[in-house]
Amino acid sequence: MAERESVGIVLLGLGVVGSGVARALAEHAETYADRVGARIELRKVLVRDATRERDFAPDRSLITTDAAEALGTDCDIVVEVMGGEDPAREYIQKSLSRGRWVVTANKELMAKYGPELRAQATAGGVDILFEASVGGGMPIVSPLRRDLSANQITSVRAIINGTTNYILTQMTREGAAFDDALRQAQDLGYAEADPASDVEGFDSAYKISILSSLAFHGHVRVEDVYREGITDLMPRDFRYAAELGYSIKLLAIGQRDADGVCVRVHPALVPKDQLLANVDGVLNAVQVEGDLIGRVLFQGAGAGSMPTTSAIMADVLEASRSIVHGSRPSPWRYTADMAMKPISQLTTRYYIRVEVSDRPGVLAEIARACGDNGVSIASVIQKETDDEAQTAEIVIMTHAAKEADLQRSISQIEGLKDDVRKVGALLRVED
Amino acid sequence: MAERESVGIVLLGLGVVGSGVARALAEHAETYADRVGARIELRKVLVRDATRERDFAPDRSLITTDAAEALGTDCDIVVEVMGGEDPAREYIQKSLSRGRWVVTANKELMAKYGPELRAQATAGGVDILFEASVGGGMPIVSPLRRDLSANQITSVRAIINGTTNYILTQMTREGAAFDDALRQAQDLGYAEADPASDVEGFDSAYKISILSSLAFHGHVRVEDVYREGITDLMPRDFRYAAELGYSIKLLAIGQRDADGVCVRVHPALVPKDQLLANVDGVLNAVQVEGDLIGRVLFQGAGAGSMPTTSAIMADVLEASRSIVHGSRPSPWRYTADMAMKPISQLTTRYYIRVEVSDRPGVLAEIARACGDNGVSIASVIQKETDDEAQTAEIVIMTHAAKEADLQRSISQIEGLKDDVRKVGALLRVED
């Protein structure tokens, strides 16, 4: 095969991440050429607004607002960093159909259409790489695809949303209320003006759908991910959790057992001596458990222009090496139909905070509601009492119980109208 | 290209790790076939003693004590898990020259002959993969080769010897003496009868030579790795370190700055709020710092049959996929000559423990010895005093100083014959 002089790149998007990629390509050009064996050449950049100021802008002649021009440019790799479903999906499909490799940071797209895009890439003898879609620069997609591939993975437990982890860390350290911690995160640029995607757990749900699909070799659809956000957490839940020896984290979990695969995103109590309990601030971390390896942990900056650029460029260099050396990518093989296990079949321990009337007999009623449904109580602590309002608050830790039984207990407790003001918090405990 | 039905494996060695590989190949056969697109077939196993009992033994007909027979068996991949330099090196060279891919767990070999073996593999259109040579099952070789390859790596800081980390953890937690902690480690099977390779830092030196060569794209020779073991550490150093807010860890460090690359293995004080300070027991962890990614941490079981099998099988599956899909491996490119920076040019902070005569003026003499050589003292604490022997002990923390200046200060302090009994400990501080 003739030596190749260059590998051509078309970049779709020039926001925070796109600018980082353009800058890395310019500033590391020599190193990358050395590592790949050919120059990596930026040939066109698609932007929405050609007049906007950029962190780093490549040569004006490379910039276009015309998608057809960008997609029609002769190149080997298309790097998609626009985000969102449309028109990113269409652009990627077109690129794959023209025999281009695709590198994308698009979690929403990979969560929803990963299997079909990967199948299209395989059919065309190319690949779609998406390390940057989860965990910023922290390697996790490639380790699951390659380094841990000899394992039967049993679980993936992840803190993969830096915004919410920052908010929870502030609520833990400073006893801040959710709204105040959110405002702080917004002031620091960690949270968007509309924070729903982060704080309601959508972002984590996309990412755990991607990681679980890789870990379990099947497609975990976003609709099959159980999801709860962090907006209802109260400062006192953090205080009580700490007293009991736990941190509260927004966990994204994929678990496989004999009954199937259960994938979920929700705040959880994590024992303080576990690694994940101590991953603070905007850091991300993923803990993978497999039959051979036991437990392995990856930790790093989960977002930001430079870390995300690190992940995108790793994929670009990998694709470039394959292109230069004429390697065909190995197709990804999904195993046969995978049984999904709904959260109602989950078995775990629970933390329940109930606001009650401060009078005798209440606890007995609540205990009965649990017992009637097969939920066994491990400990009960009476917390604050408000003499004026004649209310008290009790915190219950259960033994391992089935989610469906637990939910029935909660309904019954909520039905104790005279005695129970409300169930203030229901959190799963991840041991 | 015709579909391939199988990929043939010859296994050299059937010890703890070799048995794990044979077991995984047998027990995961279907899954691996599914992931690769062809059966992975064990065709021959070379052992020294065919009569020995094994954890897991493949079919008798596969076992041979005849190296020529094993190496002459028709196969695609040779897996070397014998360890040691000879005859492993010769067997690997022969295998590569016959166009076979090689997967090895041999740290000594890769540290000493990595570049020439990799060059031979590249020349033959195959590859030599060595994930298992460092960190057991924890992925670190492949992340450095691939996932972090877009970065200029500035440092690799690692706890990569589980035996010494177990010993140091026991000395920290239980105030144990080195000999007692070593005996405990031996009783638990964590340390060999002859522990020199671990406790003198040779094992860590091989591994950091491999990681630094990958990180800095040059060959860091084992002879260029500065090395100190943990045998001289005293229980009171752990106590004093804890009082000052540090843990003591055996760190393996590769660092690049404008002056060159400095690679070293020695016990060090690590601030307790750093991740590496809290990696306890037999766990391994590697923290990599790069210009794009910032800091990223990998943590997992650094040894053991199953974790090491996880790493070897990841390489076997990778090689198998390449073989099945007719991919050529990308050659590894070493950059031009890399300047090595000797430890004498290192600048860091130091912890010094000196046993002195308990009389006035001693501290002034020691302070002068430091000042004369340009070493600035940050704090001095007088620790235990032995009234009977009329000795005292002082602990000095310095500001950042050059190693050469520090060593001259130590010589001068040791020359204060009347006042100084001995310099009991000299430890670098890694902030």
Side-chain angles (χ1 to χ4, degrees), chain B residues 8-12 42-46 62 64-79 90-100:
Chain B
I9 307 277
V10 164
L11 183 59
L12 308 180
L42 186 59
R43 299 210 181 136
K44 199 59 79 181
V45 184
L46 178 65
L62 296 180
T64 179
T65 56
D66 178 354
E69 186 193 344
L71 296 174
T73 302
D74 177 45
C75 75
D76 304 286
I77 304 171
V78 172
V79 178
E90 180 201 332
Y91 294 172
I92 287 177
Q93 286 170 331
K94 278 198 178 142
S95 302
L96 290 173
S97 71
R98 288 173 186 172
R100 273 137 203 189

Side-chain angles (χ1 to χ4, degrees), chain A residues 63-87:
Chain A
I63 293 182
T64 180
T65 55
D66 178 356
E69 186 193 346
L71 297 173
T73 301
D74 177 46
C75 75
D76 304 286
I77 304 171
V78 172
V79 178
E80 185 272 310
V81 286
M82 311 163 52
E85 193 173 323
D86 291 312

Side-chain angles (χ1 to χ4, degrees), chain A residues 81-151:
Chain A
V81 286
M82 311 163 52
E85 193 173 323
D86 291 312
R89 186 182 172 203
E90 180 202 333
Y91 294 172
I92 287 177
Q93 286 170 332
K94 279 199 177 140
S95 302
L96 291 172
S97 72
R98 287 173 186 170
R100 275 138 202 187
W101 290 62
V102 170
V103 173
T104 177
N106 199 319
K107 56 190 173 269
E108 188 178 346
L109 212 57
M110 289 311 296
K112 290 182 178 167
Y113 307 105
E116 69 179 68
L117 293 174
R118 297 180 78 179
Q120 194 192 337
T122 298
V126 294
D127 207 350
I128 177 166
L129 304 173
F130 49 100
E131 180 63 68
S133 65
V134 185
M138 174 184 71
I140 185 61
V141 170
S142 157
L144 282 172
R145 286 182 73 163
R146 186 204 174 282
D147 306 313
L148 305 175
S149 65
N151 287 262

Side-chain angles (χ1 to χ4, degrees), chain A residues 28 32 34-35 142 146-147 149-151 275 291 293 297 299 306 310 315 318 325 327-328 331 333 335, chain B residues 1 28 32 34-35 137 142 146-147 149-151 275 291 297 299 310 315 318 325 327-328 331 333 335:
Chain A
H28 290 53
Y32 293 165
D34 209 42
R35 291 186 189 170
S142 157
R146 186 204 174 282
D147 306 313
S149 65
N151 287 262
L275 291 163
D291 62 341
I293 199 166
L297 181 90
Q299 181 174 310
M306 307 263 279
S310 171
D315 282 346
E318 160 110 332
H325 299 287
S327 302
R328 290 189 308 151
R333 293 164 182 273
T335 47
Chain B
M1 194 173 48
H28 290 51
Y32 293 164
D34 208 42
R35 291 186 188 169
S142 157
R146 186 203 175 282
D147 306 314
S149 65
N151 287 261
L275 291 163
D291 62 340
L297 181 90
Q299 181 174 311
S310 171
D315 282 346
E318 161 109 331
H325 299 288
S327 301
R328 289 189 307 150
R333 293 162 182 273
T335 47

Side-chain angles (χ1 to χ4, degrees), chain A residues 298 344 368:
Chain A
F298 304 83
S344 59
R368 183 141 43 116

